[in-house]
Amino acid sequence: EFSGVTSSMLENVATRIEDIQIKLLSLIEENDIIVGHSLENDLKALRLVHNRIVDTSVVFRGSNGRKYSLRHLSNVLLQKQIQKGCGSSGHCSTEDAEAALVLALRRGRIGPSFQLKENTKPQNVVSVFHKINRNDNSKSLSFAQRNEGSCVCVGSNDWISKYANATYGAHHVLSCESIMDTMAMS
């Protein structure tokens, strides 16, 4: 799905690219900073060059060079869903600009730690425990010890004793007899 300007939107428009360029140049000064996402396409279309740009598609690029969408960055880093159409089928330019600005400001304030965590694929924890139990010869080690970190396990006594033994105190185990017990605890 594409968004943005369509040919039907431009049918009765008398404004030319040169008019837009003149207007932008009257608004943007040399020391102003332009903040946005994937600005190269916009600047290329406008035939505009500016030396002070913060492009969130570059700032938040993955270590493998992957370029993340503004929608994904906003959803994950800001916990804000954007680009739902603003009542139409396209992006809302104000919403996109606000998201890019907030991302850039937070990165500036927090530093490089404000970034996407790479290689975090959702996993089925039951499958992980089954796989470890099947393939691991070090059955005496807890899940947390094997993975050099802590975890929280909630489950029936049988499952806990089979897959998430609480040896060495490396993680928290909360056992229950039924799913209703778990729901009552929350």
Side-chain angles (χ1 to χ4, degrees):
E1 178 180 317
F2 295 97
S3 65
V5 179
T6 64
S7 58
S8 63
M9 295 169 126
L10 297 175
E11 282 179 7
N12 297 317
V13 175
T15 307
R16 301 173 328 183
I17 188 79
E18 293 82 8
D19 300 326
I20 301 297
Q21 290 169 328
I22 291 168
K23 180 67 174 174
L24 283 173
L25 291 173
S26 72
L27 295 172
I28 301 169
E29 296 183 10
E30 185 178 345
N31 289 326
D32 289 344
I33 300 171
I34 298 174
V35 178
H37 190 81
S38 292
L39 290 171
E40 72 277 2
N41 297 322
D42 298 322
L43 295 173
K44 190 176 188 180
L46 290 166
R47 292 179 240 147
L48 185 67
V49 175
H50 192 70
N51 291 323
R52 297 173 60 102
I53 294 175
V54 175
D55 190 328
T56 54
S57 73
V58 175
V59 172
F60 292 99
R61 190 156 289 189
S63 60
N64 61 356
R66 178 177 179 192
K67 188 174 176 179
Y68 294 100
S69 70
L70 181 61
R71 182 178 191 165
H72 180 71
L73 291 170
S74 179
N75 190 32
V76 174
L77 294 174
L78 304 177
Q79 287 81 49
K80 182 179 179 186
Q81 292 186 1
I82 63 168
Q83 299 178 348
K84 291 183 163 189
C86 284
S88 68
S89 62
H91 295 196
C92 174
S93 57
T94 303
E95 182 181 60
D96 287 358
E98 287 173 353
L101 182 58
V102 171
L103 284 164
L105 289 172
R106 286 196 188 164
R107 179 63 175 259
R109 185 170 35 98
I110 297 169
S113 65
F114 183 68
Q115 65 180 348
L116 291 175
K117 308 296 184 246
E118 296 192 58
N119 298 326
T120 55
K121 297 177 185 173
Q123 295 184 26
N124 178 333
V125 70
V126 175
S127 299
V128 171
F129 278 104
H130 281 289
K131 183 177 178 183
I132 289 170
N133 200 39
R134 260 193 329 266
N135 300 331
D136 197 351
N137 295 328
S138 59
K139 301 254 187 223
S140 62
L141 295 177
S142 71
F143 176 78
Q145 289 170 302
R146 286 185 207 116
N147 292 284
E148 299 177 3
S150 63
C151 66
V152 176
C153 302
V154 178
S156 69
N157 290 329
D158 293 341
W159 187 86
I160 293 290
S161 62
K162 186 173 182 180
Y163 297 109
N165 56 358
T167 59
Y168 195 64
H171 56 273
H172 305 283
V173 175
L174 182 59
S175 64
C176 56
E177 292 305 315
S178 76
I179 189 68
M180 297 310 287
D181 290 346
T182 306
M183 292 169 70
M185 287 183 256
S186 60

